[in-house]
Amino acid sequence: MERMTFAAPCLMGIEGVCADELKRLEIENVQAENGRVLFEGDFSAMARANLCSRYAERIQVLLAEFPAYSFDDLFEGVAKIPWEEFIGKNGAFPVKGHCVGSKLTSVPDCQKIIKKSVAKRLGSRYHTSWLEESGAVHQIQFLILKNRCSILLDTTGQGLHKRGYRANAAIAPIKETLAAAMTDLSRVRPFSTVIDPFCGSGTILIEAALKALNIAPGLRRSFAAEKWSSSPGTAWSRERERAQDMIRLDAEFQAYGYDIDDDAVALTLENARKAGVEKRIHVSRRDIRDFHEDFERAAVICNPPYGERLLDMEQARELYHIMGEKFVKRSGWSYSVISPDDNFETVFGRPADKRRKLYNGMIKCQLYMYFRN
């Protein structure tokens, strides 16, 4: 199996960021689509994308796409896939998925048909009528959208946002992949100074540090495909070694976080330690009203509390107004604030130099960026 097509689903609004990253990783034939990025490669590309992608939610093998107007169409389309190239005789192959705007509407029935089709093909290839499914998990995923079925095989396991450093989190934490995208859009570099005045569990600070030091976000975790008999262990070991060699310990990056909650301060420090970047992150208790820094250059990146999460809208807008007074125009400084409030710029006190539509969970937000002096 030399060449595969992969799909990397990602948060809406960061498809371009995710695609650019995969290209920088020297992955081939990268193509951004709505909600996902496609690319091609072998098992080494699979391992590299899993280990190194900061913005993808998971990495899936795109096995087939075909029209499915009936259960027969679905069964036959699935049966044509060479499942034996991925799933060993004892491999487990659970099925889950979605049906949207299609004649096939019952997800449980589609799961059963796909399961039956895969089992029939594997049984014929392994000359058995009983598949134990006692081995490594090969999660099959399907999407039937407007009568067109996509069949995928998940290589990741737990989502890629599960970096392994955040077992505990503050209330309403930002997703790691979104925080990483914010640091990219804010142009964090190895020499950057980053400040988060609402640090919570430290996610933005930690993702900024991982990016600046070029630490692969998946180095401290494992992946589902590592346990597959079809996936060569040498590919994973080579890519882990490559990622380790790419770390920039000479980076000048430093980050500073503040929060009014002592528990949040302690949690940020704990998570930074788990991520291996505790020497780059400095945290203390401070109110936004006391915000002041003397750095020559800095990037402020934050996810302030807002009405749909922690505060009512009136309290949130009071914070925005204070931020507008504290986040003054300064040469070498930039400010990036994510908020779902369409009136943010009015309350903040000036229009953003650039805006980017992003989603924080199911909440539609804007990343308001200020960088002109």
Side-chain angles (χ1 to χ4, degrees), residues 106-347:
S106 171
V107 169
D109 286 342
C110 289
Q111 287 175 297
K112 292 175 185 177
I113 293 294
I114 293 171
K115 184 81 174 182
K116 183 178 179 180
S117 181
V118 177
K120 183 177 180 180
R121 171 144 186 155
L122 290 177
S124 67
R125 294 307 188 273
Y126 294 129
H127 309 290
T128 181
S129 59
W130 175 256
L131 297 167
E132 291 184 4
E133 294 195 59
S134 58
V137 175
H138 303 69
Q139 178 66 62
I140 299 170
Q141 296 180 290
F142 70 90
L143 172 62
I144 305 177
L145 176 62
K146 296 180 179 179
N147 301 309
R148 185 162 182 82
C149 180
S150 299
I151 301 292
L152 307 105
L153 195 59
D154 176 54
T155 74
T156 300
Q158 280 197 322
L160 289 178
H161 70 281
K162 297 285 189 180
R163 317 292 207 208
Y165 65 76
R166 203 174 75 174
N168 299 309
I171 298 174
I174 192 169
K175 201 171 187 178
E176 293 90 333
T177 42
L178 177 57
M182 289 167 60
T183 68
D184 184 275
L185 294 168
S186 302
R187 301 186 181 279
V188 170
R189 298 292 184 267
F191 52 80
S192 295
T193 298
V194 169
I195 304 168
D196 182 358
F198 306 95
C199 66
S201 56
T203 308
I204 290 174
L205 300 174
I206 293 169
E207 291 299 324
L210 293 176
K211 176 178 173 59
L213 275 63
N214 203 33
I215 298 174
L219 267 179
R220 295 179 173 233
R221 56 160 290 176
S222 60
F223 304 92
E226 287 187 85
K227 299 178 181 178
W228 296 357
S229 59
S230 60
S231 178
T234 52
W236 292 92
S237 59
R238 281 197 308 267
E239 290 303 325
R240 285 185 182 277
E241 185 176 347
R242 176 188 177 276
Q244 192 70 41
D245 291 342
M246 298 286 284
I247 295 174
R248 296 193 55 171
L249 295 178
D250 61 339
E252 300 174 4
F253 175 88
Q254 296 290 329
Y256 298 83
Y258 307 106
D259 204 286
I260 59 171
D261 185 350
D262 287 329
D263 290 339
V265 170
L267 187 55
T268 293
L269 292 172
E270 177 187 353
N271 289 341
R273 179 185 58 77
K274 290 177 180 176
V277 294
E278 70 274 17
K279 293 182 180 179
R280 305 295 184 130
I281 294 177
H282 317 277
V283 194
S284 61
R285 188 177 186 278
R286 184 188 293 181
D287 192 287
I288 186 62
R289 294 172 179 80
D290 301 319
F291 181 84
H292 66 277
E293 296 291 354
D294 297 324
F295 301 116
E296 184 177 343
R297 305 175 63 87
V300 176
I301 310 172
C302 61
N303 173 38
Y306 42 79
E308 295 182 55
R309 302 186 313 137
L310 301 177
L311 307 175
D312 62 35
M313 190 58 70
E314 184 177 344
Q315 290 175 306
R317 288 180 173 173
E318 182 182 350
L319 282 183
Y320 299 158
H321 179 70
I322 295 169
M323 291 161 60
E325 293 178 338
K326 295 294 181 178
F327 295 176
V328 297
K329 292 183 179 182
R330 295 173 61 178
S331 177
W333 279 63
S334 67
Y335 307 93
S336 298
V337 184
I338 191 169
S339 171
D341 191 344
D342 292 335
N343 292 316
F344 174 84
E345 291 163 298
T346 301
V347 181

Side-chain angles (χ1 to χ4, degrees), residues 67-80:
Y69 292 90
S70 67
F71 288 130
D72 285 342
D73 291 340
L74 183 60
F75 186 94
E76 293 302 324
V78 171
K80 293 176 182 177

Side-chain angles (χ1 to χ4, degrees), residues 58-114:
R58 57 183 60 252
I59 305 299
Q60 304 163 321
V61 186
L62 180 56
L63 295 172
E65 290 186 309
F66 53 86
Y69 292 90
S70 67
F71 288 130
D72 285 342
D73 291 340
L74 183 60
F75 186 94
E76 293 302 324
V78 171
K80 293 176 182 177
I81 297 170
W83 294 102
E84 65 279 2
E85 294 183 4
F86 295 94
I87 306 173
K89 184 176 181 179
N90 295 321
F93 50 100
V95 180
K96 64 181 180 182
H98 303 279
C99 301
V100 182
S102 299
K103 288 189 174 182
L104 299 178
T105 59
S106 171
V107 169
D109 286 342
C110 289
Q111 287 175 297
K112 292 175 185 177
I113 293 294
I114 293 171

